[in-house]
Amino acid sequence: MGKLYFKNTSKEEKSFHPQAKKETIEFLLNYSKALDVFEYKEVKFEMMLN
Amino acid sequence: MNYTKVTDATLVRDYLDGNENALGALINRHHHRIYSFIFSKVYDRDIAEDIFQDTFIKVIRTLKRGKYNEEGKFLPWVMRISHNLVIDHFRKNKRMPKFDNSGDFNIFSVLSDGDLNAEKQLIKDQIESDVQELIKELPEDQLEVLTMRIYKDMSFKEISERTGVSINTALGRMRYALINLRKIIEKRNLILTN
């Protein structure tokens, strides 16, 4: 009977839990705070506030 | 404020009313599921991170523009956005495939060195030799211009100076040389191709 071979999972692969980085989430929250949408003559404009 | 028991619909409404913390609560509640979904499709942390970011940028812009239609389906809506962005990612990669030369794939299987093989080189030599014989049948003035232009790689200005005729005359002689060469080839039923 043929032998079955499996690739050993590396430590990095074992510890990896897919989730977004903290920095990405922080960026999104800051982006949201900075983004302002206003309407002028029925047209919506986006503006980034510093 | 503890948002654990607040519904997505309420958080969206709070966010639209200007409560930025509500967005943080929505992201914290769903980021694991959305990121995992994206990662399960692309199998690359950096690409998954990019698509995750683009997904929420789209969510934020849609919400702030007042285009979101609340039907109590915030998560399926975000998942659909991320799904569409994953598809966009693969479409873009199909147009611009990446070759990383890892695994079984060999970059040299899609690249050639551009040199002709022995058979094609023989055919090319034969055609060039046939053409050299054929052009000898051209009138002297046309043969002279064609030889200078093709074999000596001279410009028409240089040809006109060397032969003592105007550039237009040199151009005309070249044109008739090619027309006559085609006629000779047709008359002899020759096929010059490799």
Side-chain angles (χ1 to χ4, degrees), chain B residues 50-182:
Chain B
D50 283 351
I51 295 175
F52 176 84
Q53 186 173 296
D54 288 346
T55 301
F56 271 96
I57 284 177
K58 208 160 188 178
V59 167
I60 291 165
R61 291 182 65 213
T62 308
L63 288 173
K64 290 223 172 187
R65 282 176 160 260
K67 285 183 181 172
Y68 174 65
N69 233 350
E70 176 56 66
E71 290 167 355
K73 290 174 181 172
F74 177 76
L75 182 61
W77 173 60
V78 182
M79 296 289 265
R80 202 165 55 241
I81 292 173
S82 61
H83 179 253
N84 289 341
L85 289 172
V86 167
I87 290 171
D88 286 350
H89 162 74
F90 284 117
R91 276 189 190 143
K92 208 159 55 186
N93 267 16
K94 208 176 169 187
R95 283 200 298 270
M96 295 184 292
K98 284 193 291 185
F99 298 117
D100 58 5
N101 206 18
S102 61
D104 295 333
F105 178 78
N106 184 357
I107 185 69
F108 294 108
S109 66
V110 293
L111 291 177
S112 65
D113 62 2
D115 286 350
L116 295 172
N117 61 28
E119 186 192 358
K120 284 186 176 173
Q121 189 61 50
L122 272 175
I123 294 169
K124 187 170 176 280
D125 292 346
Q126 184 62 53
I127 289 170
E128 282 174 2
S129 133
D130 287 349
V131 170
Q132 275 178 354
E133 285 303 310
L134 288 173
I135 61 173
K136 286 177 185 167
E137 293 187 28
L138 291 170
E140 189 61 37
D141 55 348
Q142 293 172 20
L143 171 65
E144 187 182 30
V145 172
L146 186 135
T147 310
M148 287 179 180
R149 181 75 191 114
I150 304 294
Y151 294 103
K152 296 180 183 169
D153 203 24
M154 290 164 69
S155 69
F156 282 103
K157 188 170 178 285
E158 289 168 330
I159 294 169
S160 81
E161 285 166 3
R162 179 75 62 86
T163 55
V165 296
S166 70
I167 293 179
N168 276 342
T169 305
L171 281 164
R173 285 179 183 175
M174 181 71 191
R175 181 167 174 267
Y176 279 105
L178 294 174
I179 290 169
N180 288 331
L181 198 55
R182 282 197 196 100

Side-chain angles (χ1 to χ4, degrees), chain A residues 21 24 32 35 44 46, chain B residues 15 20 49 61 64-65:
Chain A
K21 286 181 193 163
T24 307
S32 170
L35 181 69
K44 283 187 175 163
E46 288 182 10
Chain B
Y15 177 62
E20 289 289 337
E49 203 77 37
R61 291 182 65 213
K64 290 223 172 187
R65 282 176 160 260

